[in-house]
Amino acid sequence: IRNLEESVKIPLLKQSLTAIFSQYGTIIDLVAKKNLKAKGQAFVVFDSPQAAEQAIKEVQAFPLFDK
């Protein structure tokens, strides 16, 4: 996931992303960091490729924290 609001605290960001993406399948891992290289990005790992594809299709351009 790219272009996330950088001022949002990591625990809140992870909680929000989990709430959004858990409806598409089982989340194995969710990585969001504040370091310079990964700022504004998060990675969601699903248990199946089908769940990931469905999430990509349906959540594309979804506004989160006004961004």
Side-chain angles (χ1 to χ4, degrees), residues 22-41:
S22 63
Q23 61 186 327
Y24 298 103
T26 303
I27 296 174
I28 296 173
D29 195 16
L30 197 150
V31 179
K33 297 182 180 178
K34 276 278 192 189
N35 65 19
L36 232 69
K37 210 173 185 184
K39 214 174 211 185
Q41 298 178 37

Side-chain angles (χ1 to χ4, degrees), residues 9-50:
K9 303 284 184 199
I10 296 297
L12 177 60
L13 181 62
K14 283 185 172 185
Q15 181 183 13
S16 300
L17 292 174
T18 300
I20 293 168
F21 285 99
S22 63
Q23 61 186 327
Y24 298 103
T26 303
I27 296 174
I28 296 173
D29 195 16
L30 197 150
V31 179
K33 297 182 180 178
K34 276 278 192 189
N35 65 19
L36 232 69
K37 210 173 185 184
K39 214 174 211 185
Q41 298 178 37
F43 300 91
V44 181
V45 181
F46 286 95
D47 64 341
S48 73
Q50 295 83 9

Side-chain angles (χ1 to χ4, degrees), residues 47-63:
D47 64 341
S48 73
Q50 295 83 9
E53 288 176 16
Q54 184 180 4
I56 289 170
K57 287 179 188 175
E58 294 186 22
V59 183
Q60 192 74 6
F62 179 83

